[in-house]
Amino acid sequence: MMKRAIYTLMLLILAYSYVFAQNWNHEVMIQSDFERGDLDDWGPRGDAGAAESVAVVRTQAHSGSGSLYISEREKTWHGPIHLLTDNAVAGDVFRISSWVYREEGPENAAIVFSVERSFKDENAAHAYANVKTFQIARGEWTRIEAEYTVGADPTQKNIWIYFELPYKSDDMIEESDKMSFYLDDVECLKLDPESRPKAQTDIPNLYDNWISYFDVGVSVTPTDVDFTSQTAQLLMKHFTALVSDNAQKMDSLQPNEGEYNWSMADKIVEFGALTGMRQRWHTLVWHQQNPGWLFQDPNNANRQASKTVMEQRLESYISTVMDRYSFDVESWDVVNEVLNESGGLRTGAQGSPWYDIMGAEYIDKAFRYARAADSSAQLVINDYNLVSNPQKRQGMYNLVKGLLDRGVPVDAIGMQMHISLYDPPVSEVRETIELFGSLGVKVLVTELDISIHRNDSEGMIEVTDAILQKQADLYRDLFDLFKEQADKGVVDMVMIWGATDAGSWKNDFPVKGRGDAPLLFDERLQAKPAFYALVE
Ligand code: XIL
């Protein structure tokens, strides 16, 4: 009897380890516990003359007795750095984990995990990217983990990993940005390719359910559309429309006046064209993510450009971009976020240099230039909080009515719809769509995501089944409404702002590093209840 029990137990253990053991051959790249007292090749990012210090200390430790102490920091970007590889291979995925501790700074503060890359051309400027931001409470060892995928750039060479604080320019730095912190038990693995998350192939295609009513689209990054990536497989399986999240904003596109950097925008448009997706452009005119020179006087960078100069820049930008992409892109965000929260136009004091310099006219002009560049394009005015803020909703109605009355060519109103599980109610979404539709324009949902957070002050929360189910119900109710409104000829495209939770901007907005789970696929590319709710 006893023997039998032991056998059964052994069998169970065997079966268990067979099923659950992760037999991946991950390669250990960095493993630093700081017990031996040496830096293990960690060093400071600051220049040689900087005070910044990176040292092994025995006053704090997550395990054992030693940790790495980063102190005397003077810039947000000061912090510990370590070479990861001198031979970047496209598609390699690194998983970095570490324990972080701090005694200084405010109760909650963010620490950013970033990578630096050099290029085979030694003269090429290094590239820097923030991979993930973490909230670190004061006085508690906190574990952080992030993954970094090497992009498909054959010109890159070295990759370093480092930790820093969210970037601020030197004149904006505060005392808390200089806080010291500790790292311990840092590990960096190169993941076995077999272990990487795969897009599911045995689930329905999302678009099948909706294509006869409207296109379901998605915003993408240039890495998402690497044809060999799993994200690209997911995009091609489920979506029939495409928009870029950042690569088609003016700071990416025209870093210096008249000098265009097309490569990233091209990559996305080519992917869309090759996969037969409908394409939207985001965004021609906005008050954010602009290059530094845009509003400067051409002869004196300290002065604002004149109205004449801005008109000329506006026209030349719109015609240059539209000439290049009109063949592939059919729907254009001509202006983005021109309203303030009271429903009036965003003024200079409210952050819009466009308005400051050109007055309300910049909107009329932008639409007229766009129409001149492409007579058949769908021209869109795009904004947020149009449902949750009735004043802004009415403001949009009045603005578009005025534009149409003046003969300005506006074809559609874009509702961003960055909403949450708790607000706004679906009935208000319906009222908004009907109000806008009554103007005779199309209504697009341009940037849908559903945050799991209640408000801006809530901290990190656990993503429970109940939350995911509530999210699924809301996605379904919204899509049913979009279908109803598509039947009436009003709604035309519904774009979701991001493919997977891993890449969502909501992880860092409105609270850096808080995390979120607003989309249809989780951070491992797996379909969430919200997805299933839309394919049933
Ligand atoms: C966001 C991007 O998703 C982020 O990656 C970026 O850091 C900031 O901009 N409304 C818009 C979009 O019109 O352009 C914004 O996109 C999200 C809010």
Side-chain angles (χ1 to χ4, degrees), residues 219 221 244-246 249 282-283 286 288-289 333 336-337 382-384 416 418 446-447 449 497-498 503-506 508-509:
S219 77
T221 68
S244 147
D245 79 333
N246 287 308
K249 292 172 178 168
H282 179 75
T283 167
W286 194 20
Q288 284 182 28
Q289 293 183 256
D333 287 341
N336 190 34
E337 305 185 350
N382 193 44
D383 219 317
Y384 62 99
Q416 290 187 4
H418 297 291
T446 51
E447 306 180 15
D449 50 27
W497 202 245
S504 168
W505 76 302
K506 295 298 293 180
D508 288 313
F509 187 90

Side-chain angles (χ1 to χ4, degrees), residues 337-341 343-346 383 386 392 395-396 399:
E337 305 185 350
V338 302
L339 291 170
N340 61 33
E341 292 308 292
L345 290 183
R346 186 189 297 277
D383 219 317
L386 296 173
K392 204 170 179 183
M396 177 60 94
L399 173 61

Side-chain angles (χ1 to χ4, degrees), residues 239-404:
F239 297 96
T240 55
L242 203 66
V243 65
S244 147
D245 79 333
N246 287 308
Q248 297 171 351
K249 292 172 178 168
M250 209 201 291
D251 60 350
S252 311
L253 225 52
Q254 195 183 189
N256 298 299
E257 182 155 27
E259 250 175 56
Y260 283 82
N261 184 354
W262 299 116
S263 58
M264 295 295 128
D266 278 358
K267 192 173 168 192
I268 290 173
V269 173
E270 274 162 23
F271 179 85
L274 288 167
T275 55
M277 302 223 199
R278 290 176 77 190
Q279 299 204 48
R280 303 201 67 246
W281 184 272
H282 179 75
T283 167
L284 290 169
V285 180
W286 194 20
H287 64 286
Q288 284 182 28
Q289 293 183 256
N290 285 314
W293 61 267
L294 180 60
F295 301 107
Q296 292 168 2
D297 182 309
N299 302 311
N300 178 353
N302 295 319
R303 289 214 327 243
Q304 231 181 18
S306 68
K307 188 170 173 178
T308 326
V309 167
M310 286 321 296
E311 251 179 61
Q312 180 267 319
R313 285 178 178 166
L314 183 66
E315 197 283 328
S316 127
Y317 184 68
I318 290 179
S319 61
T320 306
V321 173
M322 290 187 79
D323 282 352
R324 186 178 181 91
Y325 294 116
S326 264
F327 184 77
D328 294 304
V329 176
E330 66 172 273
S331 175
W332 298 76
D333 287 341
V334 179
V335 296
N336 190 34
E337 305 185 350
V338 302
L339 291 170
N340 61 33
E341 292 308 292
S342 326
L345 290 183
R346 186 189 297 277
T347 63
Q350 290 160 342
S352 175
W354 284 113
Y355 183 92
D356 207 22
I357 303 174
M358 293 183 64
E361 244 178 82
Y362 82 94
I363 300 172
D364 294 44
K365 290 245 151 85
F367 278 98
R368 292 192 195 279
Y369 295 147
R371 177 56 78 231
D374 181 353
S375 58
S376 64
Q378 181 185 58
L379 305 182
V380 184
I381 178 167
N382 193 44
D383 219 317
Y384 62 99
N385 281 357
L386 296 173
V387 183
S388 58
N389 179 347
Q391 271 180 301
K392 204 170 179 183
R393 183 194 308 177
Q394 193 57 44
M396 177 60 94
Y397 176 89
N398 298 344
L399 173 61
V400 173
K401 181 155 192 339
L403 289 166
L404 294 171

Side-chain angles (χ1 to χ4, degrees), residues 77-88:
W77 51 269
H78 279 175
I81 185 165
H82 195 295
L83 179 68
L84 177 59
T85 173
D86 58 6
N87 175 26

